């Protein structure tokens, strides 16, 4: 009974302390409302909600008692969240970016992460994203101070509906005492990683209906420029193929992309096995259970770990992603196409893998002969601005194309070998196994239907085509959503 009154008293204090930042936020909103009406997001219903308290009352029943309801994996977990800054808006966005943050012993990187997300996005991209920050620490004074700082620095984004700060009350958490000691982890480590699983589960649950896609970041991350445009290119290129999780960083729980429709199941999954293993290990099992066997990770990485001190005991964590590139806008478009070759393919290193931007995927064939070809047939004629082809790999530097030409064609027809173009123009010769041609659309007078690599001399070495990268002249605004 004493514990219950203590909890209620803490909540009362938090409400009182939160009234001043709320009033400041309300005044800021009224001052800037007319200035930002061009965002078109603030509706009558939302203005009424702003008059309500940002602190929603929490159900006092501990979340552990609701575990019996987890058999309904398609539904949301029943949690009453506290809204600390911002409110959910009715229009579904393209992408939700989720961050979960707790108090660190040696400072915080959260504000820098939020700033990087917004600074590295264009105005058009900002219209399509919403950032949700889950403050998952039970120190309410720390939460209040951080909310005040976030509100002061990012008021415009909060008003425009691009930034929400939430909290799942402690009453909803399962017991964090007496947990399984898997992997011989010390008790405090087990408690930390188990709570983190629940933190992420509540964040995923909240974000279910906010957008079409969901990206998980950690709270100490730097973003590449125009990362949303790069994401759209990749998602468009995967159209028609099955995937559960796409990865845009090789580190931790950074840069992991999901369909929003899968978030309820993932939230339930993390809650069911919260004390079994760390979240990044659980994610591997989750995608496997949903029939995505292999990792689908893209280069370059769009997100970089920037923190030096972990949220666990302030331990040093200087991991960096060496595939990260600050400027991601140069990711190739690779429009939808079919690929054919008459070169003997080795095992499962088929032609389509040369056209993929997935890490460690490439075409590998047995020694080609004069006249052999590798051809890309677009689904529809396309204006191409640049073509770049790289052969060989770092560990197989002799498996390059020693003698070959790059051609582009038009007027495709059906043949016994599949659809082919009946006329080609040569753009250049391979040198050192590679070729790059720019301003293609200025050098030829037609839209391209075929891109062909032709072997111009026999070679003894096998052939690896590591990447085929094509850039179109299609405006970003016309990318599929």
């Amino acid at each position: 009974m004493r514990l219950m009154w203590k909890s209620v008293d803490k909540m009362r204090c938090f409400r009182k302390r939160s009234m001043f930042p709320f009033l400041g936020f309300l005044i800021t909103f009224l001052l800037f409302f007319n200035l930002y009406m061009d965002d078109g997001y603030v509706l009558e219903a939302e203005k009424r909600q702003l008059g309500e308290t940002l602190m929603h009352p929490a159900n006092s029943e501990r979340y552990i008692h609701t575990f019996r309801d987890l058999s309904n994996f398609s539904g949301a977990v029943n949690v009453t969240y506290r809204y600390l800054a911002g409110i959910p808006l009715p229009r579904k966005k393209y992408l939700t970016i989720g961050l979960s943050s707790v108090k660190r012993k040696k400072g915080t990187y959260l504000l820098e992460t939020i700033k990087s997300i917004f600074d590295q996005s264009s105005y058009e991209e900002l219209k399509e994203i919403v950032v949700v920050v889950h403050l998952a620490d039970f120190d309410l004074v720390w939460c209040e101070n951080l909310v005040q700082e976030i509100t002061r620095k990012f008021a415009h984004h909060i008003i425009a509906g691009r930034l929400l700060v939430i909290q799942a009350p402690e009453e909803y958490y399962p017991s964090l005492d007496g947990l399984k000691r898997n992997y011989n982890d010390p008790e405090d480590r087990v408690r930390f990683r188990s709570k983190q699983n629940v933190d992420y589960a509540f964040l995923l649950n909240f974000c279910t209906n906010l957008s079409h896609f969901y990206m998980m970041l950690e709270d100490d991350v730097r973003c590449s420029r125009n990362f949303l445009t790069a994401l759209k290119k990749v998602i468009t290129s995967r159209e028609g193929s099955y995937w559960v999780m796409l990865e845009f960083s090789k580190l931790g729980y950074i840069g992991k992309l999901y369909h929003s429709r899968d978030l309820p199941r993932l939230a339930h999954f993390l809650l069911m096995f919260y004390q079994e293993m760390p979240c990044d290990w659980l994610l591997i099992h989750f995608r496997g259970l949903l029939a995505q066997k292999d990792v689908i990770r893209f280069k370059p990485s769009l997100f970089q770990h920037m923190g030096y001190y972990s949220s666990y005991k302030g331990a040093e964590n200087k991991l960096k992603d060496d595939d990260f590139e600050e400027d991601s806008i140069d990711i190739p478009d690779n429009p939808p196409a079919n690929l054919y070759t008459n070169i003997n393919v080795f095992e499962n290193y088929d032609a389509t893998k040369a056209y993929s931007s997935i890490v460690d995927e490439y075409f590998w064939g047995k020694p080609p002969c004069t006249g052999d070809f590798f051809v890309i047939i677009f689904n529809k004629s396309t204006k191409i601005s640049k073509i770049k082809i790289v052969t060989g790999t770092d560990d197989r530097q002799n498996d390059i194309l020693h003698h070959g030409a790059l051609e582009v064609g038009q007027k495709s027809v059906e043949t016994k070998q599949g659809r082919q173009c009946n006329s080609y123009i040569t753009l250049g010769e391979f040198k050192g196994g590679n070729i790059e041609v720019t301003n293609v659309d200025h050098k030829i007078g037609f839209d391209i239907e075929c891109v062909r690599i032709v072997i111009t001399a026999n070679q003894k070495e096998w052939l690896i085509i590591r990447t085929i990268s094509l850039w179109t002249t299609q405006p970003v605004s016309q990318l599929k959503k």
Side-chain angles (χ1 to χ4, degrees), residues 105-360:
K105 289 189 175 181
K106 299 184 179 181
T108 179
Y109 304 99
L110 176 62
L111 295 172
E112 293 176 64
T113 300
I114 298 172
K115 185 176 186 298
S116 179
I117 293 170
F118 292 137
D119 286 355
Q120 296 291 64
S121 302
S122 69
Y123 178 71
E124 290 301 316
E125 290 170 328
L126 287 174
K127 290 181 179 179
E128 295 300 324
I129 65 174
V130 56
V131 179
V132 179
V133 178
H134 178 207
L135 295 186
D137 202 283
F138 301 145
D139 184 336
L140 301 185
V141 174
W142 175 83
C143 290
E144 179 197 352
N145 291 336
L146 190 54
V147 168
Q148 288 179 352
E149 200 165 358
I150 291 171
T151 302
R152 180 173 58 84
K153 290 191 173 185
F154 303 106
H156 164 44
H157 297 294
I158 294 172
I159 294 167
R162 290 190 282 267
L163 177 61
L164 306 175
V165 184
I166 64 165
Q167 185 178 56
E170 184 177 2
E171 292 80 12
Y172 288 90
Y173 277 72
S175 174
L176 297 173
D177 296 320
L179 301 172
K180 291 183 181 180
R181 297 281 298 277
N182 295 342
Y183 315 110
N184 293 319
D185 279 348
E187 186 174 345
D188 58 346
R189 174 67 184 175
V190 173
R191 180 184 176 90
F192 172 84
R193 62 172 170 79
S194 298
K195 179 184 175 295
Q196 188 177 57
N197 284 332
V198 183
D199 296 341
Y200 283 134
F202 288 157
L203 173 59
L204 293 164
N205 180 66
F206 180 87
C207 295
T208 296
N209 294 313
L210 299 181
S211 62
H212 300 289
F213 298 97
Y214 174 85
M215 171 70 70
M216 177 63 77
L217 295 184
E218 294 179 4
D219 63 351
D220 53 355
V221 169
R222 188 169 86 252
C223 306
S224 64
R225 187 167 62 89
N226 299 110
F227 63 87
L228 178 62
T229 297
L231 285 174
K232 282 189 172 185
K233 286 184 178 182
V234 169
I235 291 169
T236 299
S237 73
R238 303 293 298 180
E239 209 169 67
S241 65
Y242 178 77
W243 58 270
V244 176
M245 179 174 71
L246 303 182
E247 302 186 23
F248 295 88
S249 172
K250 63 183 179 183
L251 301 177
Y253 208 170
I254 297 173
K256 307 303 185 276
L257 182 75
Y258 301 90
H259 296 279
S260 292
R261 63 175 179 263
D262 287 332
L263 296 187
R265 283 188 289 184
L266 180 53
H268 283 293
F269 185 79
L270 291 174
L271 288 172
M272 285 189 70
F273 301 104
Y274 76 104
Q275 62 178 310
E276 302 297 336
M277 60 185 69
C279 58
D280 44 349
W281 294 9
L282 285 173
L283 295 181
I284 297 171
H285 291 286
F286 179 76
R287 67 167 168 76
L289 288 169
L290 268 63
Q292 180 189 317
K293 179 181 177 183
D294 300 318
V295 172
I296 305 177
R297 182 167 69 85
F298 296 87
K299 290 177 64 175
S301 295
L302 303 181
F303 307 97
Q304 178 66 284
H305 179 257
M306 68 176 175
Y308 287 105
Y309 299 102
S310 168
S311 52
Y312 172 63
K313 284 189 168 183
E316 285 195 4
N317 181 7
K318 297 183 179 181
L319 288 174
K320 296 295 179 185
D321 189 335
D322 51 14
D323 292 328
F324 173 75
E325 290 184 11
E326 190 80 32
D327 189 354
S328 68
I329 197 66
D330 200 37
I331 287 179
D333 300 298
N334 284 15
N338 294 309
L339 289 86
Y340 308 97
T341 184
N342 63 346
I343 302 169
N344 289 327
V345 179
F346 175 64
E347 293 185 351
N348 63 339
Y349 293 87
D350 58 78
T352 60
K353 294 187 176 177
Y355 202 55
S356 168
S357 58
I358 299 175
V359 174
D360 297 330

Side-chain angles (χ1 to χ4, degrees), residues 2 14 16 34 64 87 159 163 181 201 228 306 331 371 380 431-432 452:
R2 186 181 300 171
F14 188 80
K16 291 176 182 177
N34 288 330
I64 192 168
I87 55 173
I159 294 167
L163 177 61
R181 297 281 298 277
L228 178 62
M306 68 176 175
I331 287 179
K380 61 181 181 179
K431 294 181 180 179
R452 185 169 71 175

Side-chain angles (χ1 to χ4, degrees), residues 6-25:
K6 185 178 179 182
S7 175
V8 171
D9 189 57
K10 284 172 66 179
M11 288 177 61
R12 277 202 202 103
C13 292
F14 188 80
R15 287 194 188 94
K16 291 176 182 177
R17 288 193 296 265
S18 299
M19 185 56 65
F20 292 105
F22 167 67
L23 290 174
F25 170 74

Side-chain angles (χ1 to χ4, degrees), residues 229 233 236 333-336 380 382-385 441 471-480:
T229 297
K233 286 184 178 182
T236 299
D333 300 298
N334 284 15
K380 61 181 181 179
T382 307
K383 289 186 180 297
I384 300 293
S385 60
D441 51 326
W471 287 262
T472 71
T473 59
Q474 181 183 23
V476 170
S477 60
Q478 292 182 16
L479 285 172
K480 293 183 180 179

